[in-house]
Amino acid sequence: MDETALITAAKQGDLDSFNRLVLVYQDMVYGHACRMMGDAHEADDATQEAFISAFRHIHQYRGGSFRGWLLRIVTNACYDELRRKKRRSTLPLEPVTDDDESNDEMPWMVDQGERPEDAVQRKELGNAIQHCLDKLSPDFRVVVILVDIQGLDYQEASFTINKPIGTIKSRLARARLSMRNCLQSFRELLPSSFRLIEEGTK
Amino acid sequence: MKKKLTFHDWEALSAFLDGRLSLADKSRLESRLTKEPELREGLEGLQHTRTLLRNSPKIRAPHNFTLTRQMAGMKEKQTPGYIYPWLKFSTVIASILFVFALLGDFFVNQTTPITPLQVHEMAPVALPNEEAVAEQEMSAAYPTMPLAGTTPIPTEAAAEKSFELSNAPMEPLPSTMPSVMEMEASDETEEMPVLSAPFTEEEDMQPREAVTASDIEGEMETGAKIPTSEMETMADQATQTEEIKPESSEETMAMGYGEAPESYPPSREINVWRVLQIVFGLLIIIFGVTAFFLRTKKII
């Protein structure tokens, strides 16, 4: 059964058809939520909320990119969660130790378990990217996630966040520049080709 | 001296990477890229950043996010409306039936003089008495002949006895001796040949017909052909057959269990109660299984 037929059946209340769509898109939606939230548990909640909301409002889907429609819903869920998180945030801005001193060891680089060296480096690179994404404001973050990580084109990104293409273009340029500057501080984690280029630009 | 790139330059470089520039802007930027190394380095930096982001580790969902009917705000599937209230109380109905069956049984035990169980217990006691009576009657009728189904005579003694009987000049015995076993064998006792009458030579050529007790009686009345001594023997035999007959067939079988004394309650009333108990038991099982099924499926 193709995607259109599944969507049509889901619009008629067929939960099984919708769950088949969920199985197709859950990695993408969860990955997007994870990048947006920077926390696995919050991403889990946002993803589940997004799918529930999608099923309840699937009759509002008027065609086009179903992936973009789902990403819009999960992006809105992430925005809501980030707003709630901002209101109740009590964590210090700087990571500190028990002695109230600044912790030089960055928590996003702490390895949570034993794994082979390659996996460690890969994990740390992912953590570094996430750290740089977290530094971006949500409006810029969502654009770079949609275009550079999820691989959407400008039209789909525009549809997803309901902004004009010009806005996508400018936000993407600013986000990429910020990411480039941020990733320079993790030069030792970057691939050798990237390091050579970065060293050459200095 | 390095020239600092403006945000407009970065925006153009980003769009150039994605192929989103117009032809005019694209040719203009390409000409600048050949002349300005800073612009070229900026482009390479953005390109690698984009490559790094696109090759970042893919995040997989830790579990399936499929929705349940409850999460989707849909009601669980229910049984048809008219049967649901009955099924919902299946546990209660099963319990009530169980208690009723137990209490009913206790009540019947208190009020009824003898229950079917007691009848079963008493029946084996009555059986030997009836058998003893039958034995006495048979032994009186045939003092020298062992009866089938009674106390067996040892084999050698039986052989000697039969030898004596065959050699001794005694009164003629009927060729076919009705025994209890033969009488029990079928309901056709009246049709069973009990005596072969002597035939004349002419009659001997004709096919023989079985002679029954009724035939004997008929012949006795007409006084035909049968010798007097044999006639007496046959008459005794017929009388004996008629006397034994009621005890020999089905009634003999049923005597021990089926024919209860007059003081016993009629068997029909006992069976009705037993049938009710069986019905209650079946209903208890059905409702119990139904309750278990509904609980398992979480319908209730």
Side-chain angles (χ1 to χ4, degrees):
Chain A
M1 191 180 280
D2 63 346
E3 184 178 287
T4 308
L6 289 173
I7 292 169
T8 305
K11 278 185 174 180
Q12 294 168 354
D14 186 358
L15 185 60
D16 292 335
S17 297
F18 183 79
N19 279 334
R20 290 175 70 179
L21 291 168
V22 170
L23 292 174
V24 172
Y25 288 109
Q26 62 183 2
D27 285 342
M28 179 199 70
V29 172
Y30 178 76
H32 182 76
C34 245
R35 295 295 188 196
M36 284 292 291
M37 303 301 298
D39 181 85
H41 296 293
E42 291 172 354
D44 200 310
D45 293 341
T47 303
Q48 195 68 75
E49 283 295 321
F51 280 124
I52 292 171
S53 179
F55 182 73
R56 288 178 179 169
H57 299 97
I58 196 167
H59 59 277
Q60 294 177 0
Y61 171 68
R62 302 285 181 223
S65 170
F66 187 71
R67 176 177 68 160
W69 185 74
L70 278 178
L71 286 171
R72 178 195 290 186
I73 292 174
V74 72
T75 301
N76 290 336
C78 290
Y79 274 134
D80 294 341
E81 187 61 30
L82 285 170
R83 275 194 286 270
R84 280 196 293 270
K85 190 178 174 182
K86 193 176 180 181
R87 279 198 297 270
R88 63 171 184 258
S89 177
T90 56
L91 291 174
L93 295 176
E94 291 291 330
V96 293
T97 62
D98 293 338
D99 301 328
D100 287 341
E101 292 178 357
S102 179
N103 191 357
D104 292 335
E105 188 179 2
M106 290 174 284
W108 57 87
M109 298 190 62
V110 174
D111 188 10
Q112 299 298 325
E114 293 183 14
R115 53 177 67 89
E117 286 299 316
D118 290 343
V120 170
Q121 190 173 3
R122 184 179 174 80
K123 175 78 174 176
E124 288 179 348
L125 177 60
N127 288 340
I129 291 171
Q130 185 61 49
H131 170 70
C132 293
L133 285 171
D134 290 343
K135 281 191 165 183
L136 298 174
S137 70
D139 290 340
F140 291 92
R141 190 189 315 159
V142 68
V143 174
V144 77
I145 290 171
L146 289 174
V147 176
D148 282 343
I149 295 179
Q150 299 291 353
L152 271 63
D153 57 26
Y154 283 24
Q155 278 81 9
E156 278 184 303
S158 169
F159 170 77
T160 300
I161 63 171
N162 200 24
K163 296 289 181 188
I165 290 181
T167 305
I168 300 295
K169 195 186 290 185
S170 63
R171 286 185 182 179
L172 183 60
R174 195 177 292 275
R176 280 174 174 168
L177 183 60
S178 298
M179 288 297 290
R180 171 184 170 274
N181 295 334
C182 177
L183 287 171
Q184 282 180 354
S185 58
F186 300 102
R187 217 176 305 129
E188 67 279 4
L189 297 175
L190 301 179
S192 55
S193 57
F194 189 88
R195 261 180 277 168
L196 289 172
I197 289 165
E198 295 303 318
E199 284 166 3
T201 56
K202 285 193 173 182
Chain B
M1 182 180 173
K2 275 191 177 181
K3 183 184 175 183
K4 190 170 182 176
L5 299 177
T6 64
F7 177 71
H8 183 73
D9 294 334
W10 287 112
E11 193 174 7
L13 288 173
S14 176
F16 178 76
L17 277 176
D18 297 327
R20 302 296 303 185
L21 281 180
S22 63
L23 287 175
D25 291 339
K26 185 182 176 185
S27 59
R28 197 180 305 123
L29 185 63
E30 283 174 344
S31 65
R32 281 185 63 193
L33 283 170
T34 54
K35 297 172 189 172
E36 300 175 26
E38 297 83 4
L39 199 64
R40 196 166 51 248
E41 289 167 1
L43 178 66
E44 289 174 349
L46 281 183
Q47 192 171 11
H48 282 88
T49 302
R50 190 183 69 162
T51 304
L52 199 63
L53 290 171
R54 286 189 174 178
N55 295 329
S56 63
K58 298 294 178 190
I59 300 173
R60 296 184 63 84
H63 58 87
N64 284 337
F65 288 94
T66 50
L67 305 184
T68 62
R69 296 182 69 84
Q70 190 178 6
M71 290 163 73
M74 301 167 73
K75 290 181 180 177
E76 294 288 342
K77 288 179 182 174
Q78 293 184 349
T79 50
Y82 62 89
I83 203 170
Y84 180 72
W86 292 98
L87 295 179
K88 193 174 180 181
F89 294 107
S90 55
T91 310
V92 178
I93 293 170
S95 304
I96 290 171
L97 286 173
F98 182 71
V99 171
F100 183 70
L102 282 181
L103 290 180
D105 201 16
F106 178 74
F107 179 74
V108 168
N109 279 336
Q110 294 294 319
T111 55
T112 309
I114 299 173
T115 63
L117 183 61
Q118 288 170 320
V119 171
H120 279 280
E121 288 173 356
M122 291 176 67
V125 177
L127 182 60
N129 295 335
E130 298 294 330
E131 283 181 347
V133 170
E135 266 182 44
Q136 286 174 0
E137 289 176 356
M138 291 297 289
S139 60
Y142 304 101
T144 57
M145 293 297 292
L147 290 175
T150 58
T151 309
I153 300 172
T155 313
E156 292 180 4
E160 287 176 6
K161 213 165 192 175
S162 62
F163 181 73
E164 288 171 8
L165 287 171
S166 61
N167 290 337
M170 57 183 294
E171 53 185 8
L173 286 172
S175 60
T176 53
M177 189 67 192
S179 67
V180 175
M181 288 296 288
E182 284 172 339
M183 286 183 285
E184 287 176 358
S186 69
D187 296 336
E188 299 174 351
T189 312
E190 291 184 7
E191 302 296 324
M192 189 174 63
V194 294
L195 180 65
S196 294
F199 292 90
T200 61
E201 288 182 359
E202 292 175 2
E203 288 170 345
D204 222 1
M205 300 302 288
Q206 301 297 322
R208 295 188 181 189
E209 292 180 357
V211 181
T212 61
S214 56
D215 294 337
I216 294 169
E217 284 179 359
E219 286 179 0
M220 284 174 68
E221 284 176 9
T222 54
K225 293 184 185 179
I226 304 172
T228 312
S229 58
E230 284 190 15
M231 203 172 147
E232 288 174 3
T233 311
M234 286 190 303
D236 291 341
Q237 175 65 37
T239 310
Q240 187 65 35
T241 308
E242 290 293 323
E243 287 176 2
I244 296 172
K245 215 185 291 173
E247 298 174 0
S248 65
S249 59
E250 296 169 351
E251 291 176 28
T252 307
M253 296 287 286
M255 190 182 293
Y257 294 95
E259 199 171 316
E262 290 180 359
S263 60
Y264 292 173
S267 58
R268 179 173 291 178
E269 293 178 10
I270 296 169
N271 288 340
V272 167
W273 174 242
R274 280 297 173 208
V275 168
L276 278 176
Q277 279 192 316
I278 291 168
V279 170
F280 285 155
L282 288 174
L283 285 174
I284 290 167
I285 292 170
I286 290 169
F287 278 104
V289 170
T290 306
F292 177 76
F293 173 76
L294 294 176
R295 295 290 179 193
T296 305
K297 295 292 181 183
K298 296 180 179 176
I299 293 175
I300 295 180

